[in-house]
Amino acid sequence: MSSDDAKEVLAMQDPVVQQLLRGPVNHGVLIPLKTNLELGDDHICGRILITRMPVKCANPAISLLRSLLPEDIVKGLPHLRRCAKPYDLPVHLRTKFMNENPQSRQIHTGKSTWIYVIIGPEQPLSRDEIAKALSTIEGLEEDVFIRSVPVPMVAPTSQVQAAMWTQQFWPTVYRKNNPLGPHPSMVSRSTDEITNDATIWMALAHRVAQQSRDAGYGEAIGACIVHRDGEKTSVVALAADARWQYGRGNAGDKGNPMAHAVLRAISMVAQKLVRCEKREQGAQPPVLEFEAFQDEPILADEKMVFDTEHPSPNGYLCHDLELYVTHEPCVMCSMAILHSRMGRVVFRHRMPLTGGLCAEDRGHAHSHPAGPQAGRGLGLFWRRELNWTLLGWEWESAGFLKPLLVDYEVHA
């Protein structure tokens, strides 16, 4: 489905979209964010002990090791093949073991009847005790083969990485999981789900960002929050940056540094939930303006969305909602996104000095004079030590929307 087709479908579902969007929209490109762990060292290496034996001895040897070793060692390192034929080993290991003695050369020649077996991590194990136990198996009575080799201690995050590790370390299996971030299938499925209409929501955020900047209310930063329910997607909140806005509709020298687009959008979602709850209870309409974030709509487009009802007023604040924002949210906004339990975030412009979602090295994200002074990105969208994680994407317009220029030192 093209973006124009998606716009047409959405316009039929949500009249607000039809009124807000004017003109054609084109596809952009969604790039999933990488976590801090994914962008850290390519792998964490440790050393394991391996042994070698005739194939006929493999089953009794493995059973013996299972009875001797703790369960966490027996079931550990599932990304490494427990057993490997000589020709499956990386070239450097095969060459090393083959040239140790004449018997080794024979083992690695032709159709071998021998097999290599992983014993377990080197550190807690005693080579002498393992060798003594294995020597009780018929066919392994003399000179039990035990060697130490380096291996990656965490699972690969792609088939390509697994193939590289197989060549460099030990036969490795990619089990289509990601111990360092969101599951690949979840990222792929979610990307497919939002790719057809992501441009529409980004265009709306872009629109209010320009309006706010032109009116002198704030920086050229905009946010759009949507609710997706199967084939139907509805706009829940639309907000621009209003940090230069002071009071009701008065632009002046005194600003509100907390009136970021993301905080205003989340607050508008909260107000719509409160409005719905009060209506159901038959109470008087609440006073919805809260000056800390300048929550009250200040643009006509913001008000149009704000006046509509929340499509799914049940559940926690922003659970299952999606945020589309023109610039990478700052640390304050990133934590607000997490605390509000947002499900997905898509942003257009990366903010290498002030952004909180990206995990890339800030000094390399842009050729800004202050870049080299910056450090590792925080990658707050997916941190194990936090009690919430979400999916994040960077969106590239492919020339559709003109860049919204905001100083790199601004907290978006």
Side-chain angles (χ1 to χ4, degrees):
M1 181 186 294
S2 69
S3 287
D4 283 338
D5 292 338
K7 176 185 173 184
E8 206 171 300
V9 171
L10 287 166
M12 291 188 293
Q13 294 177 350
D14 191 345
V16 174
V17 176
Q18 189 173 19
Q19 295 181 58
L20 292 175
L21 273 184
R22 300 176 181 89
V25 294
N26 295 313
H27 271 304
V29 178
L30 288 166
I31 304 171
L33 299 184
K34 295 291 186 180
T35 68
N36 286 74
L37 293 174
E38 289 175 312
L39 293 172
D41 294 334
D42 288 340
H43 49 267
I44 300 173
C45 270
R47 300 191 73 87
I48 61 170
L49 295 181
I50 62 171
T51 185
R52 182 176 68 196
M53 61 192 67
V55 172
K56 64 181 181 180
C57 300
N59 284 336
I62 291 174
S63 298
L64 175 64
L65 292 173
R66 285 176 176 168
S67 65
L68 290 176
L69 303 176
E71 185 177 0
D72 60 332
I73 291 181
V74 172
K75 295 184 176 180
L77 306 175
H79 58 287
L80 302 177
R81 292 196 181 277
R82 186 72 185 272
C83 301
K85 294 290 185 67
Y87 54 76
D88 291 328
L89 297 184
V91 173
H92 67 281
L93 287 183
R94 191 162 65 243
T95 302
K96 175 183 177 181
F97 297 151
M98 182 170 57
N99 292 324
E100 286 185 347
N101 53 54
Q103 182 191 16
S104 293
R105 282 192 289 274
Q106 184 178 0
I107 288 173
H108 289 82
T109 302
K111 188 176 181 180
S112 179
T113 59
W114 287 68
I115 194 170
Y116 286 89
V117 178
I118 291 178
I119 298 173
E122 179 181 36
Q123 192 59 37
L125 301 179
S126 167
R127 291 196 188 196
D128 292 340
E129 291 180 5
I130 295 296
K132 183 178 179 180
L134 290 175
S135 66
T136 62
I137 296 176
E138 184 179 356
L140 297 179
E141 295 88 352
E142 298 180 1
D143 193 20
V144 175
F145 177 96
I146 296 180
R147 299 291 185 272
S148 171
V149 297
V151 296
M153 303 302 288
V154 296
T157 59
S158 68
Q159 187 63 54
V160 173
Q161 192 174 51
M164 291 175 59
W165 288 358
T166 295
Q167 295 176 359
Q168 297 172 1
F169 299 101
W170 187 265
T172 305
V173 180
Y174 173 55
R175 300 191 182 279
K176 295 185 178 180
N177 61 4
N178 183 6
L180 310 179
H183 197 285
S185 64
M186 179 169 61
V187 175
S188 177
R189 184 171 61 253
S190 296
T191 302
D192 291 342
E193 189 174 359
I194 70 174
T195 192
N196 283 332
D197 56 21
T199 297
I200 294 173
W201 315 124
M202 192 61 71
L204 292 180
H206 195 280
R207 176 182 168 87
V208 293
Q210 289 180 310
Q211 292 174 350
S212 181
R213 177 193 59 193
D214 295 344
Y217 293 151
E219 298 284 349
I221 301 169
C224 178
I225 296 179
V226 304
H227 175 262
R228 191 179 301 275
D229 182 13
E231 297 296 323
K232 183 179 181 180
T233 310
S234 306
V235 186
V236 181
L238 191 61
D241 183 86
R243 70 189 67 194
W244 308 130
Q245 168 75 11
Y246 185 71
R248 286 180 178 270
N250 299 317
D253 295 333
K254 296 181 179 180
N256 185 343
M258 296 183 70
H260 293 197
V262 169
L263 293 183
R264 294 187 67 234
I266 292 174
S267 180
M268 289 180 186
V269 173
Q271 292 182 66
K272 294 177 81 166
L273 291 174
V274 170
R275 187 171 65 196
C276 179
E277 181 181 351
K278 295 295 184 182
R279 183 180 294 110
E280 290 178 354
Q281 294 175 355
Q284 291 295 322
V287 178
L288 296 177
E289 180 185 3
F290 182 55
E291 292 185 356
F293 303 143
Q294 187 58 59
D295 316 68
E296 187 179 66
I298 57 176
L299 299 171
D301 287 358
E302 291 180 348
K303 190 173 189 314
M304 185 184 301
V305 175
F306 185 76
D307 288 343
T308 63
E309 296 305 316
H310 196 299
S312 179
N314 300 313
Y316 190 79
L317 190 50
C318 291
H319 192 254
D320 285 337
L321 299 185
E322 301 171 8
L323 169 67
Y324 295 81
V325 58
T326 56
H327 295 72
E328 179 187 358
C330 65
V331 175
M332 175 178 70
C333 290
S334 296
M335 290 307 297
I337 291 167
L338 290 172
H339 288 312
S340 66
R341 299 297 189 263
M342 194 75 70
R344 298 165 177 169
V345 176
V346 181
F347 66 84
R348 180 184 180 188
H349 297 292
R350 187 176 296 184
M351 300 297 284
L353 298 185
T354 63
L357 291 184
C358 281
E360 279 86 354
D361 286 327
R362 293 178 175 179
H364 300 288
H366 287 280
S367 56
H368 185 264
Q373 301 173 10
R376 169 74 71 181
L378 295 175
L380 292 176
F381 82 102
W382 193 279
R383 296 289 293 256
R384 287 177 174 173
E385 62 270 33
L386 299 178
N387 64 355
W388 186 256
T389 57
L390 49 89
L391 297 182
W393 293 263
E394 184 177 3
W395 183 85
E396 293 186 356
S397 72
F400 163 52
L401 295 173
K402 292 182 179 180
L404 291 171
L405 300 180
V406 172
D407 191 283
Y408 286 129
E409 296 182 359
V410 167
H411 290 75

